[in-house]
Amino acid sequence: MIMNYDKYFQNALEVLRKEGRYRVFNDIERISGKFPNAIYFSGKKEKKVVVWCSNDYLGMGQNKNVIEAMHQAIDKAGAGSGGTRNISGTTHYHVLLEKELADLHQKEAALLFTSGYISNEASLSTLVSIMPNCMIFSDELNHASMIQGMQNSNAEKRIFKHNDPEHLSALLKESDSNRPKLIAFESVYSMDGDIAPIKEICAVAKENNALTYLDEVHAVGMYGPRGGGIAEREELMDHLDIIEGTLAKAYGTMGGYIAASKNIIDTVRSFASSFIFTTSIPPAIAAGALASVKHLKESNVERIIHQERAKTLKTKLRQTGIIVMPSESHIVPVLVGNPVLCKKASDMLLSEFSIYVQPINYPTVPKGKERLRITPTPLHDDLMMDNLVNSFKEVWKRLKISNI
């Protein structure tokens, strides 16, 4: 019998389509100097749209200083890094950026990765596997890269209720006090926009002699007087052992990193396979990230405007009766509650109102909690915001999406 292998893949994709979870990539081209405007390509047609779901939270990917730094690095060093960090791929740009990131988080050292996903996967899997019989304590809403790193470590894991220090404490007290322990959690949870009780979790960690690993990817650049994240805002950075961040969101470029003690950084550098055997980020990317981090250490303007924009949009949407889910941060999650309607709403906004907001469906969020996740930036003006709100009202009316 001839095996029809393609049928397996076709059937799997068909299930996604029936459940309304099949992902479609929208073909866009950002317009340099005119963020959040972009060109949307659909077949042979193209039109100007406003992007409302970018993770370039502060528009730093369009910042003149960042772009100029990248141009200069290309002119001086060329396109790629030329190798892994161990074999010719540690350029001076990488060294300078790691020093800047260590200073940002008030740690002894920092280590760059090609993405935030890899920084979590590599760091967690490596650090936990180095400590014999280590037990991991993980917030139940930690995202995929953290979960993958923990799984790859093959360590025993306990899940504590989301943002619940009391449950964490109870789980820790049930464990052997002589075992190494690591607590992994996030500061800002990107789908709901809620913020972790970092101080309380750190207190529980200290009481139980556990290491702390904080993912700040949705907070670095945007919170704290120098953009060090929620931990800096709350003056808690010295309470945390490892802080993980990204350069691909508020800093507008690409890459991930961790900041910690010299020994922790050296351990990951020396043992993490996905770091050791991966070509380092291009010098131009490192140069752009360096310029962005330096800028946001000095400038608070972007953060102030950003918070005002997010607060204003939440207020305007709620005044219409549209359900904006509770959010303590810059994330504006609008509940739809149905995967098919969520995709239809997104498609209608794009095709008829030139507004791009990506639908977020299971497994990224629980079934029944499907939503449109809006991320206003300092560059979304009042006219854009009013147009968004009016467009949402019309789409909600046409699709009969519940406001209750």
Side-chain angles (χ1 to χ4, degrees):
M1 183 181 74
I2 297 175
M3 186 70 72
N4 185 354
Y5 288 101
D6 199 56
K7 193 69 176 176
Y8 292 114
F9 311 124
Q10 184 180 335
N11 290 342
L13 292 170
E14 190 57 36
V15 170
L16 287 182
R17 290 188 177 96
K18 286 181 178 178
E19 293 179 355
R21 298 193 293 119
Y22 182 75
R23 290 178 170 90
V24 176
F25 292 164
N26 287 316
D27 184 357
I28 67 168
E29 181 178 287
R30 304 207 306 173
I31 304 171
S32 183
K34 295 186 178 180
F35 182 81
N37 293 298
I39 302 298
Y40 169 60
F41 297 88
S42 178
K44 294 183 178 180
K45 297 180 180 179
E46 57 184 75
K47 68 174 181 176
K48 185 176 174 182
V49 300
V50 177
V51 179
W52 280 95
C53 54
S54 174
N55 281 342
D56 187 358
Y57 292 135
L58 301 178
M60 291 301 293
Q62 304 283 313
N63 181 276
K64 290 181 180 179
N65 293 336
V66 172
I67 293 172
E68 180 58 29
M70 295 180 74
H71 279 301
Q72 290 179 5
I74 289 174
D75 291 339
K76 289 177 68 175
S81 67
T84 64
R85 289 294 299 275
N86 189 49
I87 305 176
S88 82
T90 296
T91 74
H92 193 51
Y93 298 100
H94 295 80
V95 174
L96 292 175
L97 178 54
E98 285 176 340
K99 287 181 179 178
E100 200 72 34
L101 291 167
D103 173 78
L104 175 67
H105 294 290
Q106 298 172 20
K107 299 298 182 188
E108 291 181 335
L111 190 66
L112 281 170
F113 298 82
T114 51
S115 73
Y117 189 103
I118 295 297
S119 60
N120 269 333
E121 185 279 324
S123 301
L124 284 166
S125 62
T126 300
L127 292 171
V128 173
S129 64
I130 290 292
M131 296 182 284
N133 203 28
C134 182
M135 180 179 286
I136 302 170
F137 296 82
S138 173
D139 187 286
E140 66 178 335
L141 293 188
N142 281 340
H143 53 229
S145 58
M146 300 177 78
I147 294 169
Q148 190 65 55
M150 296 176 218
Q151 288 177 341
N152 290 348
S153 73
N154 294 318
E156 187 177 353
K157 182 171 67 173
R158 293 285 185 271
I159 308 297
F160 63 92
K161 294 175 184 177
H162 179 53
N163 284 347
D164 190 337
E166 290 184 5
H167 187 226
L168 170 63
S169 178
L171 291 175
L172 281 160
K173 283 177 169 51
E174 291 172 0
S175 66
D176 184 346
S177 61
N178 294 317
R179 291 180 69 174
K181 304 172 190 66
L182 182 142
I183 301 167
F185 63 110
E186 302 177 39
S187 59
V188 175
Y189 288 82
S190 63
M191 289 301 120
D192 293 325
D194 55 335
I195 294 174
I198 299 175
K199 183 178 181 180
E200 290 80 1
I201 290 175
C202 286
V204 170
K206 185 176 182 180
E207 182 183 348
N208 292 276
N209 197 24
L211 279 176
T212 48
Y213 183 105
L214 177 66
D215 179 314
E216 287 256 48
V217 295
H218 292 278
V220 290
M222 293 177 291
Y223 297 90
R226 299 196 308 161
I230 299 295
E232 184 190 33
R233 186 188 75 176
E234 304 298 324
E235 299 182 350
L236 295 168
M237 285 198 291
D238 60 334
H239 292 234
L240 293 149
D241 297 297
I242 305 119
I243 296 177
E244 186 265 351
T246 185
L247 303 166
K249 293 181 171 62
Y251 293 119
T253 55
M254 177 185 174
Y257 65 89
I258 58 169
S261 69
K262 287 181 180 178
N263 281 340
I264 286 176
I265 295 300
D266 204 15
T267 298
V268 177
R269 183 189 71 86
S270 301
F271 289 95
S273 294
S274 51
F275 171 80
I276 294 169
F277 299 107
T278 298
T279 299
S280 63
I281 61 175
I285 298 292
L290 179 61
S292 188
V293 173
K294 282 185 172 181
H295 175 86
L296 289 174
K297 277 184 175 179
E298 300 295 329
S299 174
N300 206 32
V301 173
E302 292 84 358
R303 285 186 281 274
I304 292 171
I305 299 174
H306 186 228
Q307 290 298 312
E308 178 275 321
R309 293 283 79 188
K311 182 179 179 180
T312 299
L313 182 58
K314 289 175 188 176
T315 299
K316 285 178 176 288
L317 283 168
R318 283 174 176 146
Q319 286 172 345
T320 69
I322 290 172
I323 301 174
V324 178
M325 302 170 74
S327 168
E328 304 171 71
S329 67
H330 57 282
I331 307 296
V332 185
V334 176
L335 181 66
V336 177
N338 178 289
V340 176
L341 283 179
C342 197
K343 180 67 168 63
K344 283 183 178 179
S346 174
D347 289 346
M348 189 178 291
L349 285 164
L350 185 60
S351 62
E352 297 188 35
F353 299 93
S354 298
I355 289 171
Y356 175 31
V357 185
Q358 189 71 18
I360 307 295
N361 292 335
Y362 178 85
T364 307
V365 295
K367 290 181 179 179
K369 298 292 184 180
E370 294 83 5
R371 68 198 66 177
L372 296 179
R373 175 181 176 271
I374 309 171
T375 52
T377 74
L379 300 172
H380 285 93
D381 60 29
D382 287 339
L383 188 62
M384 290 176 179
M385 197 168 285
D386 289 339
N387 182 54
L388 175 79
V389 172
N390 291 331
S391 299
F392 263 62
K393 286 168 61 178
E394 181 62 25
V395 168
W396 255 235
K397 179 181 177 182
R398 289 197 212 173
L399 295 179
K400 298 179 181 179
I401 298 174
S402 174
N403 287 339
I404 299 174

